[in-house]
């Protein structure tokens, strides 16, 4: 539905009780929204299951750790570490999507220190956690906002179904809790469902959403949104994008165009290009990083749906192959089920070793 009085006459500001023509600054009321205490209480109610993040992480990785533990118990119960056991261990790691290089390296190192000796499943788990952590630790990088870059533009990319739009909503809620002003941009202009989903998240997080009619030029939208964000002193702009990987060439061309257009409005934008990956896709995530990296210049990763897969080793494979920062993990649907990545905790829960208190 086209509305008059918006940016280039087609921007819709999705905000309760306000019309499209309402100036963005007055819609948000930034002078009244810098205090985050009331919002923190609201988000606690939205998520409100009372579990700690480590408990959620443990539960989220339960499928992965259980599958891996079963394999290790089957291999190492009352057995010396021989060539056959090492081969079975490597196969078990491959099935958990650790990737061939990581699986081979871990198996080779275990052979170096324990070959010919009896080794228990618990010892192997401790060994794996100890050696996975250094692979992941250098890549721990929370998604922080650079105050010198206002508005800080985060371009969110990923295939349809990866949890990208949901992740945007969760990030918006977190930034809002921190007292930052946030603007969401519905850049997936070819999917009406994606726009509606982003509006729902905007309402939950109490932040405005800018959108256009289905089929509109996404690059023109993001340009106008950035200009609007400058005028209204927005802290963070989260931009959704299309994810039609089946039309790979067109999609990559669109993402490249979006980057070029953003840089016309701000030579330093986007300040982050975050690829959202669905852990349940396993090794397909490797291909997605390669494809999106060429077109959009991926600067960091968020891995979602770890609670729905036994293939959590893909996080290790991604770290080993690409060395890209891992900003956060998603282990559920609640608004607070997206948290910064913690290498040691992840490694220990992945292989079924209880994290330190």
């Amino acid at each position: 539905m086209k509305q008059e009085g918006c940016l280039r006459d087609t921007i819709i500001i999705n905000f309760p009780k306000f019309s499209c023509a309402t100036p963005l600054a007055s819609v948000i009321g930034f002078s009244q929204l810098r205090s985050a205490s009331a919002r923190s209480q609201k988000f606690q109610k939205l998520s409100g299951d009372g579990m700690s993040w480590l408990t959620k992480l443990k539960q989220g990785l339960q499928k992965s750790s259980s599958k891996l533990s079963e394999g290790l118990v089957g291999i190492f119960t009352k057995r010396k570490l021989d060539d056959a056991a090492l081969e079975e261990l490597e196969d078990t790691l491959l099935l958990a999507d650790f990737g061939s290089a990581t699986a081979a390296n871990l198996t080779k190192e275990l052979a170096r220190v324990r070959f010919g000796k009896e080794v228990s499943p618990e010892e192997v788990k401790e060994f794996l956690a100890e050696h996975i952590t250094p692979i992941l630790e250098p890549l721990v990088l929370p998604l922080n906002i650079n105050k010198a870059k206002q508005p800080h533009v985060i371009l969110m990319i990923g295939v349809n179904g990866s949890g990208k739009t949901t992740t945007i909503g969760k990030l918006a809620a977190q930034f809002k809790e921190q007292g930052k002003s946030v603007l969401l941009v519905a850049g997936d202009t070819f999917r009406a469902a994606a726009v509606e989903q982003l509006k729902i998240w905007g309402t939950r997080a109490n932040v405005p959403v800018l959108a256009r009619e289905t089929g509109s030029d996404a690059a023109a939208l993001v340009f106008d949104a950035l200009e609007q964000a400058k005028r209204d002193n927005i802290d963070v702009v989260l931009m959704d994008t299309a994810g039609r990987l089946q039309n790979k060439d067109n999609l990559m061309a669109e993402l490249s165009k979006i980057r070029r257009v953003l840089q016309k409005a701000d030579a330093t934008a986007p300040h982050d290009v975050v690829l959202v990956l669905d852990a349940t896709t396993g090794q397909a995530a490797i291909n997605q990083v390669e494809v999106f990296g060429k077109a959009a210049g991926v600067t960091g990763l968020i891995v979602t749906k770890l609670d729905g897969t036994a293939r959590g080793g893909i996080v290790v494979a991604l770290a080993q192959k690409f060395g890209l920062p891992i900003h956060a993990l998603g282990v559920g649907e609640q608004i607070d089920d997206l948290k910064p990545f913690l290498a040691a905790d992840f490694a220990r829960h992945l292989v079924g070793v209880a994290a330190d208190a």
Side-chain angles (χ1 to χ4, degrees):
M1 178 177 66
K2 185 172 180 177
Q3 299 188 36
E4 300 302 326
C6 303
L7 297 177
R8 296 192 181 180
D9 296 327
T10 55
I11 290 289
I12 301 169
I13 297 176
N14 176 49
F15 204 84
K17 301 181 181 179
F18 289 90
S19 69
C20 168
T22 306
L24 188 56
S26 64
V27 169
I28 301 176
F30 290 119
S31 62
Q32 301 174 12
L33 294 183
R34 292 295 181 180
S35 171
S37 59
R39 257 169 253 112
S40 298
Q41 295 176 1
K42 178 177 180 180
F43 294 138
Q44 288 296 325
K45 291 177 182 178
L46 285 170
S47 55
D49 51 22
M51 286 193 294
S52 71
W53 169 242
L54 288 180
T55 301
K56 289 184 178 182
L57 180 63
K58 181 179 180 179
Q59 290 186 356
L61 290 171
Q62 187 67 44
K63 290 183 179 179
S64 293
S65 62
S66 295
K67 188 72 174 179
L68 190 58
S69 294
E70 289 172 9
L72 296 178
V73 169
I75 298 169
F76 293 107
T77 300
K78 296 181 180 179
R79 181 175 181 179
K80 289 185 178 180
L81 186 63
D82 54 17
D83 288 330
L86 289 168
E87 184 176 348
E88 290 180 53
L89 172 61
E90 187 168 352
D91 288 343
T92 298
L93 295 175
L94 287 171
L95 288 172
D97 271 326
F98 278 76
S100 57
T102 305
N105 290 340
L106 290 171
T107 304
K108 182 179 179 180
E109 179 61 17
L110 181 62
R112 186 184 70 80
V113 298
R114 298 299 299 269
F115 191 80
K117 301 176 182 178
E118 287 193 3
V119 58
S120 69
E122 290 72 25
E123 289 174 313
V124 176
K125 290 179 185 179
E126 289 284 358
F127 168 87
L128 291 174
E130 180 182 341
H131 287 77
I132 290 169
T133 299
I135 298 173
L136 302 174
E137 194 67 55
L139 307 180
V140 174
L141 182 65
L143 195 56
N144 294 319
I145 301 305
N146 186 347
K147 294 181 179 179
K149 307 290 186 182
Q150 187 182 21
H152 187 112
V153 178
I154 304 174
L155 190 65
M156 303 291 293
I157 61 177
V159 301
N160 293 340
S162 64
K164 172 165 51 73
T165 304
T166 297
T167 298
I168 292 172
K170 292 176 180 179
L171 287 172
Q174 291 178 11
F175 290 139
K176 195 73 179 296
E177 280 190 280
Q178 297 167 15
K180 295 178 174 64
S181 54
V182 183
L183 176 64
L184 305 185
V185 183
D188 189 355
T189 57
F190 285 90
R191 283 202 311 142
V195 175
E196 290 306 312
Q197 185 183 9
L198 196 64
K199 289 180 179 180
I200 291 171
W201 276 107
T203 299
R204 289 179 183 175
N206 195 31
V207 300
V209 178
L210 268 60
R212 277 193 176 148
E213 293 178 331
T214 302
S216 297
D217 183 357
L221 169 61
V222 299
F223 179 87
D224 286 344
L226 181 49
E227 290 296 302
Q228 182 74 26
K230 289 180 183 178
R231 288 191 291 271
D232 289 289
N233 296 316
I234 302 286
D235 294 321
V236 187
V237 181
L238 288 160
M239 296 183 169
D240 196 6
T241 58
R244 308 176 304 280
L245 198 58
Q246 67 272 24
N247 297 320
K248 184 174 71 174
D249 292 341
N250 290 340
L251 174 60
M252 297 305 127
E254 179 179 300
L255 291 176
S256 297
K257 180 181 178 183
I258 287 174
R259 280 186 62 95
R260 293 194 305 271
V261 168
L262 283 172
Q263 288 169 359
K264 291 180 180 179
D266 180 346
T268 65
H271 306 109
D272 290 289
V273 180
V274 178
L275 176 61
V276 180
L277 296 168
D278 175 355
T280 66
T281 62
Q283 290 294 308
I286 300 290
N287 178 62
Q288 291 172 28
V289 176
E290 292 173 341
V291 171
F292 280 97
K294 291 177 182 177
V298 176
T299 61
L301 308 174
I302 291 177
V303 183
T304 66
K305 305 185 183 182
L306 281 162
D307 55 320
T309 182
R311 307 162 85 177
I314 189 59
V315 175
V316 184
L318 290 166
Q320 185 86 65
K321 185 173 181 63
F322 299 106
L324 285 166
I326 302 173
H327 297 307
L329 301 177
V331 293
E333 293 298 321
Q334 298 292 337
I335 204 164
D336 66 344
D337 285 343
L338 182 77
K339 295 291 184 181
F341 180 58
L342 300 174
D345 290 330
F346 177 84
R348 294 175 70 81
H349 283 306
L350 175 64
V351 301
V353 178
D356 294 334

